[in-house]
Amino acid sequence: MTTVRRAVLTLPAAPLGPDNPLPALRAPIGAGAYAVDPVTLAELPRDMARGIGRDPLRSLLPAPVRDGYGRERTPADLDTIVIENDRLRVTVLPGLGGRIHSLHHKPTGRELLYRNPVFQPASFALNGAWFSGGVEWNIGATGHTTLSCSPLHAATVRAPDGGPMLRLWEWERLRDLPFQVDLWLPEDSDFLYVGVRIRNPHERTAPVYWWSNIAVPEDRRVLAPAETAWRHGYERGLSRVPVPVTEDGTDRTYPLNSTYAADWFYDLPEGQRRWIAALDTDGTGLVQTSTDPLRGRKLFVWGTGRGGRRWQEWLTEPGTPGYAEIQAGLARTQLEHLELAGGAEFSWLEAYGPLAADPATVLGDDWTAARADVERSLSGALPRAAVDAAYTAWREGAADLAPEEVLAAGSGWGALEVLRGGYELPGTPFPESTLGPEQEPWRELLRTGVLPPPAKNAAPDADPTARPTAPPSAPLIAPLVASPWRDMLETAPADPTTEYQLGIAQWHAGDRAQAVRSWERGLKEASTRWPLMYCLAVADREDGHPERAAEHFTEAFTDHEATEAGAGVETLAGHQATEAGSDRDGARALIATALGREALDALLAVDRPDRARALWHRLPDSARRHGAFRLLEVRLLLAEGRPDEARAVFDAGFEVADLREGAEILGELWERITDELLPDSYEFRMRPS
């Protein structure tokens, strides 16, 4: 019989640390990596070009940037949920985006996925922290979801066959949409079934993005039912190429045949069954298939170049085998978004399981025969009609069922939206009991029309003598930016806190001039000015005024220093300046570090090394030891004309824990110092020079 149970997985793990306390006003980290130049865009099919241009994110709001993690790993216990029958054992991480960590096939003793032996966050998600391995559920916008390292709600539900099913659900905040992922193992099945639903409870049309990313060992051949693919690399291009052998004579269906990282989006013909497989030299491995709405299929490779190898090592530990990703999405490419009408939904079913095919055929030179053999093997193991029938049974008989036993809790943001909008969402309850301190000021705004001052951010029944409930690791009131909340802020009594939040919502809506006016109004009465100064600095930088931006960033840093020097001051940041102990010290250092990093970067960008050096000496000692600040130190030393000392920083060694995917800054700085080969430890470039 199938069972669903809680368990614990112990791995060497780096702590996630606190989120960045500053509002994420800028576009997603690394968004340019998915850009397409105008000439290429004009040559694409019209519907693809429309999808690529549909509602790009102007900021990460309301999600926070997650950059507080490091690289020191110690054994840690991770909560898991295990789904198991006589054939498969599936291990899920509900606290880390609902990631499938392992898919173990019992009869053969094989692990079907690439299973990362460590938990090491790196800056790959739209908002930063992400980790490699397993199967991840990407919703929101192009890239890895902001929920990569966040908890989801989890509970058991009755599966279509009457057995237990695991439901994961949450409210995705970038697009303001609820979604659910249902996982179940029919008795004696070799395949895990996954039902996915994205709902749009609003009246407006919403842009939708979904890709299921599956990590597999890279010593495989990847097969999909296509003769062409759209290739996208870090050179920002998008071109249609033949499959499997490209114009240079290389068979790109073998991940190890590529030197540089690249995406290959397979162009599946209309009416073709949707599937993708990764098979090893004996013709066995993993296959993923789905109902037709999940149209896209993709192969991502790191490549065998120095940069790709270094990234693979960065994400796990030396000596660990490499991996590639096979993926499935709603659109042809990850650069596109679909439209979901108000009140409508997207839903589909995926299946994951083992596949055994004739190795001589699937690894041979005849691509047509190789695909046909996989099709035959898949049809024998799991007919297309069976997948369609399973979807119908799930959608009509199980998708709306109420959860039974709650296994894990996600955030309170969905509960707040349901409270505001009165939405009916069968199957995915967001009860008021999940509301927490982050949501409390917004619930007060909803109740009274007034956004309370930070000192009152405790729950109504909280002990008034207790310490403030706003967590020191996130000292600013978490923003909300959807139009209903913006409307409430516009009619709320104007004070610095409200003007600050209103400006953030206006900025998100694209009304940048009005956002600046709101922040400037807030400054007139604010006793603590640094949050508003920070926002104005970002506005200056985004609007092409780098000198003014540097001034505002520096003023924000200085004001924070002055605020912390005063005792007993209730700040816009939402905590008492008299709050004693390590929590307060940690919050102070967190904000100073975030503001200092922004100010140093801005001063160096306008060639003011003198002022940058003065600010450097005012940073917390703990900040100057971080790898990100060691990188800033290299830039500062070069700006001061001290290349030998900059080289000494490299020679001493440092690691920038939140180095962004595709970052080339280390190589650029090294080339300003010497013409020697960049050491392997700093080689993260993912495209040809």
Side-chain angles (χ1 to χ4, degrees), residues 177-206:
L177 301 175
F179 71 98
Q180 73 188 76
V181 180
D182 288 354
L183 305 96
W184 77 100
L185 287 171
E187 190 172 351
D188 298 325
S189 174
D190 279 309
F191 282 83
L192 170 70
Y193 288 171
V194 181
V196 184
R197 174 166 62 172
I198 305 170
R199 287 187 275 198
N200 181 4
H202 312 293
E203 294 181 358
R204 57 174 171 79
T205 298

Side-chain angles (χ1 to χ4, degrees), residues 318-607:
T320 302
Y323 76 96
E325 288 180 0
I326 58 175
Q327 306 180 11
L330 285 173
R332 278 171 296 191
T333 72
Q334 287 177 332
L335 286 69
E336 303 166 73
H337 293 71
L338 304 184
E339 286 187 332
L340 182 58
E345 70 173 48
F346 288 137
S347 61
W348 64 91
L349 185 129
E350 307 179 41
Y352 297 77
L355 188 79
D358 176 27
T361 303
V362 296
L363 303 180
D365 294 333
D366 188 334
W367 180 242
T368 300
R371 286 160 29 214
D373 195 67
V374 173
E375 289 263 15
R376 282 192 297 270
S377 299
L378 177 58
S379 294
L382 185 65
R384 185 176 188 177
V387 175
D388 292 338
Y391 166 76
T392 301
W394 166 74
R395 182 61 193 86
E396 295 180 357
D400 287 346
L401 291 179
E404 297 176 356
E405 180 187 1
V406 174
L407 300 176
S411 77
W413 295 114
L416 186 67
E417 292 302 327
V418 168
L419 187 65
R420 182 199 60 77
Y423 302 123
E424 296 291 336
L425 299 168
T428 54
F430 293 95
E432 286 192 49
S433 60
T434 61
L435 291 168
E438 282 191 304
Q439 292 81 43
E440 184 54 35
W442 297 102
R443 182 161 70 164
E444 186 70 11
L445 175 65
L446 187 61
R447 281 198 301 246
T448 67
V450 178
L451 188 67
K456 298 180 182 178
N457 285 350
D461 56 350
D463 179 356
T465 65
R467 295 168 60 191
T469 58
S473 61
L476 295 175
I477 295 175
L480 283 176
V481 295
S483 56
W485 297 105
R486 187 174 72 249
D487 293 343
M488 281 184 267
L489 289 168
E490 287 175 346
T491 58
D495 59 31
T497 299
T498 301
E499 295 287 12
Y500 167 74
Q501 293 288 350
L502 175 58
I504 291 174
Q506 291 165 333
W507 179 269
H508 174 265
D511 192 351
R512 294 189 170 187
Q514 188 58 55
V516 169
R517 285 192 285 271
S518 294
W519 293 325
E520 289 175 340
R521 283 196 304 268
L523 271 177
K524 294 178 181 178
E525 298 182 10
S527 58
T528 300
R529 298 162 59 87
W530 67 261
L532 295 151
M533 283 292 188
Y534 167 77
C535 293
L536 290 170
V538 174
D540 287 333
R541 181 155 59 189
E542 296 296 295
D543 290 341
H545 304 293
E547 292 277 358
R548 200 162 67 202
E551 290 294 329
H552 276 137
F553 279 125
T554 305
E555 286 181 44
F557 181 84
T558 301
D559 184 77
H560 178 258
E561 280 184 315
T563 298
E564 291 300 327
V569 179
E570 291 184 3
T571 73
L572 183 63
H575 66 279
Q576 298 278 357
T578 55
E579 186 178 339
S582 60
D583 284 351
R584 179 184 178 278
D585 292 340
R588 177 177 57 195
L590 180 69
I591 298 167
T593 298
L595 290 173
R597 188 173 180 181
E598 294 280 6
L600 282 171
D601 180 75
L603 288 168
L604 291 172
V606 295
D607 196 23

